[in-house]
Amino acid sequence: MASNSGKGGADYDGGRTTGFASPAGDAIEGPIDLGEVLDLRRPHRYPVRVLGDALRERGIHPGDILIADAAAPPADGRVCIAMVHGDVWVCQIAYKRGQWWLRPASGAREPLPVVAEDDIEVWAVVAALVRTEV
Amino acid sequence: MPATYGLIDGNSFYCSAERAFAPGLRRVPLIVLSNNDGCAIARSAEAKALGVRMGDPWHLIRHRPGMDSVHWQSSNYPLYADMSRRFYQVVAGMVPRVEPYSIDEFFLDLDLPGDLHALCTALRAEVLRVAKIPTCLGWGPTKTIAKLANHLAKRHPELGGLCDLRSPELRAAWYARLSVGEVWGIGGRTAEKLRRLGVGTIADFVALDARDARDLLTVVGARVQLELRGVSCLPLAMMAAPRQGAAVTRSFGRPVTRWAEMREAVAAFAHRAAEKLRAEGLVAGHLTVFLHTNPHNGDPWHSGQRAARIEPTADSGALIGEALRLLRSLWQPGYRYAKAGVMLNDLRPEAGQPRMLFPTRDPVRSARVMAAMDAVNARHSAGTLRPLATGLARPWAARAARLSPRYTTRLEEILVARAW
């Protein structure tokens, strides 16, 4: 016996009704899957949580979830996840004078050249942002 | 059969998975300890250089000189499984036929057009960039040769992580230099037996008469010899064979001396084993329970094991009941138990089970209750809903004092980056 009780109604999808047959019975599509929208099942997509508000002007707030893409090529002006001297940063990257730089959000700091020997590495490029509370 | 097999594997895979998200661990000698924070089961190159061997008990070696610089982590299997998935997906995106041989080793069908060396170089680079795992890759005409090539790529850094053993001349040169014990499928005891007969190198072994090899080492040894000669006997298996059994065995975080704790632990193991069955739609018709003390810390040795045929089921309640019935007959007070386990065998698909003449359970009700519990645990987290018999505080649970976050599978634990 089919029943809609006990699962909070989760098994009623707009299709099967008890009285009048649903005109939408052949057109059920289900809710949108954000995992698919954000491509989270692909091997190169990593979620990262933002700490600090240095990038507020770029629209990136503390607590935001970034979807970092480890396969995306870096591009001038994009936001990236970088591994710097044992720490994990989210910051902007720039291409100048034939090489990549980490560009600070605040003018008070100097840009850092991306050099593996100095223990600075671009780990992934930020591709999307999720904010669960607005 | 493919003309060329490859084997790619992660360098110190568990350590590399930890380092992917913790750049502070990249420059320190790093080891990952087994369940219960016991023995070293993964070692970074720096830790190997300091003399940490596979399986070394950390509490015994930690006081040795040089060990203060070694950093250890508890094993974080949810993380390693997800990084293995990423590793596999990258490889499978570049090579059409891939066999997942272990959590960090994949056999490849490299019967592909174009420059193989260039492809393998690109494959390693892509796995490092995307899945964050450094690898080594070896290839040759058989799986056994590919495994040996991989081993050489790992042991000889000057090869740049790649080793091509397709050329018979090159193979012959290596075979003459390597001990037969380095071959996949030749264990230490077999190597010793061969050494006593004057067979020390792989070249000696390959030169043995095929009938002698078979007489000495059975068909398995004969097959290894054929594979080393370049005759492929082991095809690529794209999928794991169906599960033969489900075992959940654990060392306790501290010795268990009370019946109430032992009962809880064994119930928890039976419940976990039942979950494994249900995930694959199987039921078990045979159950084994064992327990033992740890003689290595000076405790008197005591062990027991009992098995029984059961009415085929995957119901947690039923399996807990059967396991505790056996456990009761094994329990001897007065011992300090170090480990126990539950093994389920005689597995078969749940669908199409013949109806029992005198069933003791309602299979429909049981399936619905179990499905509801599994659904809650899948949605929230493992262990959210579980039989009370499996305990609440679980003082016997294995130690995992330095567990890293589940960076990729739990939203509350994802990597944190400071805005700069």
Side-chain angles (χ1 to χ4, degrees):
Chain A
M1 191 186 71
S3 154
N4 287 332
S5 63
K7 286 188 182 175
D11 52 357
Y12 176 69
D13 58 9
R16 290 169 59 91
T17 42
T18 61
F20 289 101
S22 168
D26 292 333
I28 307 301
E29 297 195 332
I32 291 163
D33 177 356
L34 282 183
E36 201 165 300
V37 175
L38 297 168
D39 219 3
L40 293 182
R41 289 169 192 84
R42 302 291 299 283
H44 45 80
R45 306 284 268 192
Y46 293 90
V48 182
R49 179 85 61 180
V50 178
L51 186 72
D53 61 1
L55 288 170
R56 200 174 275 277
E57 280 181 21
R58 276 296 295 251
I60 296 174
H61 300 181
D64 283 353
I65 300 160
L66 306 174
I67 308 304
D69 189 322
D76 193 43
R78 291 198 74 165
V79 175
C80 77
I81 306 299
M83 302 291 179
V84 181
H85 305 144
D87 288 328
V88 185
W89 290 5
V90 48
C91 61
Q92 302 175 83
I93 42 172
Y95 192 75
K96 271 200 186 103
R97 299 198 294 277
Q99 74 159 74
W100 291 99
W101 300 78
L102 302 184
R103 204 174 67 202
S106 135
R109 298 198 184 93
E110 289 294 305
L112 285 175
V114 178
V115 183
E117 291 73 45
D118 291 348
D119 205 8
I120 299 181
E121 174 208 331
V122 173
W123 191 80
V125 174
V126 173
L129 181 151
V130 178
R131 188 170 298 150
T132 51
E133 281 182 63
V134 176
Chain B
M1 277 202 200
T4 305
Y5 289 90
L7 180 70
I8 185 167
D9 83 330
N11 300 344
S12 316
F13 179 67
Y14 298 169
C15 292
S16 297
E18 299 285 345
R19 284 174 163 179
F21 302 92
L25 297 180
R26 292 182 185 182
R27 298 283 165 97
V28 298
L30 178 65
I31 60 175
V32 171
L33 301 182
S34 58
N35 267 328
N36 219 9
D37 294 341
C39 305
I41 51 170
R43 307 152 298 147
S44 72
E46 302 80 3
K48 283 177 194 169
L50 284 170
V52 182
R53 282 165 312 173
M54 199 65 178
D56 272 348
W58 176 240
H59 71 280
L60 292 184
I61 63 163
R62 59 188 297 180
H63 303 295
R64 289 208 311 235
M67 291 294 155
D68 0 323
S69 65
V70 174
H71 179 90
W72 64 269
Q73 292 283 145
S74 304
S75 33
N76 182 349
Y77 288 109
L79 175 67
Y80 308 152
D82 191 58
M83 297 309 279
S84 175
R85 172 199 53 103
R86 292 172 192 267
F87 182 5
Y88 175 84
Q89 283 183 298
V90 174
V91 172
M94 294 176 74
V95 177
R97 286 170 33 89
V98 180
E99 171 186 340
Y101 178 67
S102 74
I103 193 168
D104 69 335
E105 289 172 287
F106 305 120
F107 278 110
L108 316 172
D109 173 351
L110 288 179
D111 228 351
L112 300 170
D115 178 354
L116 208 46
H117 201 277
L119 173 77
C120 292
T121 305
L123 191 54
R124 285 186 72 226
E126 193 66 359
V127 171
L128 181 61
R129 189 167 76 108
V130 171
K132 308 296 179 190
I133 301 295
T135 56
C136 284
L137 174 45
W139 64 99
T142 69
K143 280 172 126 179
T144 304
I145 293 171
K147 183 98 177 151
L148 186 69
N150 171 279
H151 174 66
L152 293 174
K154 195 177 299 185
R155 215 177 49 183
H156 296 273
E158 70 275 14
L159 296 175
L162 297 173
C163 179
D164 176 357
L165 284 187
R166 279 178 300 177
S167 139
E169 294 77 26
L170 190 62
R171 281 205 298 278
W174 280 110
Y175 284 2
R177 291 171 51 189
L178 295 169
S179 152
V180 69
E182 315 228 15
V183 173
W184 182 44
I186 305 276
R189 199 170 290 179
T190 306
E192 187 50 43
K193 181 168 157 187
L194 289 169
R195 205 169 358 256
R196 279 199 301 273
L197 296 166
V199 178
T201 66
I202 301 178
D204 297 339
F205 178 63
V206 169
L208 275 183
D209 185 87
R211 268 166 310 183
D212 292 343
R214 175 180 293 249
D215 289 346
L216 277 167
L217 307 179
T218 75
V219 285
V220 179
R223 200 167 58 195
V224 172
Q225 192 197 35
L226 266 177
E227 282 247 318
L228 286 169
R229 286 176 173 175
V231 180
S232 182
C233 310
L234 301 167
L236 210 62
M238 306 278 284
M239 293 242 287
R243 188 185 270 285
Q244 297 298 308
V248 178
T249 72
R250 301 268 190 275
S251 296
F252 300 125
R254 56 153 173 74
V256 164
T257 55
R258 296 175 44 219
W259 163 249
E261 286 184 6
M262 179 62 85
R263 191 183 58 193
E264 251 180 47
V266 168
F269 301 163
H271 170 52
R272 178 70 198 114
E275 285 182 326
K276 288 190 192 183
L277 292 189
R278 295 199 297 273
E280 298 187 28
L282 299 170
V283 294
H286 189 267
L287 179 144
T288 307
V289 176
F290 75 84
L291 45 67
H292 61 74
T293 60
N294 175 14
H296 301 297
N297 61 14
D299 287 346
W301 172 246
H302 179 71
S303 75
Q305 174 167 333
R306 286 202 61 180
R309 298 228 125 258
I310 55 173
E311 189 180 321
T313 184
D315 184 285
S316 283
L319 289 168
I320 289 172
E322 298 284 2
L324 295 186
R325 192 169 58 82
L326 296 181
L327 180 68
R328 207 174 295 275
S329 67
L330 290 174
W331 173 256
Q332 293 280 342
Y335 289 101
R336 291 157 50 83
Y337 292 98
K339 188 172 185 176
V342 170
M343 275 114 57
L344 301 177
N345 284 296
D346 187 17
L347 306 189
R348 37 194 129 154
E350 186 204 357
Q353 274 299 300
R355 290 179 75 96
M356 302 287 290
L357 195 51
F358 302 108
T360 57
R361 276 181 305 280
D362 177 345
V364 177
R365 268 183 75 121
S366 153
R368 284 167 82 178
V369 173
M370 291 301 116
M373 179 163 65
D374 293 342
V376 167
N377 290 334
R379 175 142 181 207
H380 297 282
S381 74
T384 300
L385 199 56
R386 59 179 199 253
L388 186 59
T390 64
L392 292 171
R394 301 185 168 205
W396 41 268
R399 282 184 303 263
R402 269 196 211 164
L403 203 51
S404 51
R406 289 168 289 182
Y407 294 105
T408 58
T409 54
R410 288 288 158 166
L411 193 56
E412 321 83 79
E413 300 181 23
I414 61 176
L415 184 66
V416 174
R418 175 177 292 280
W420 186 72

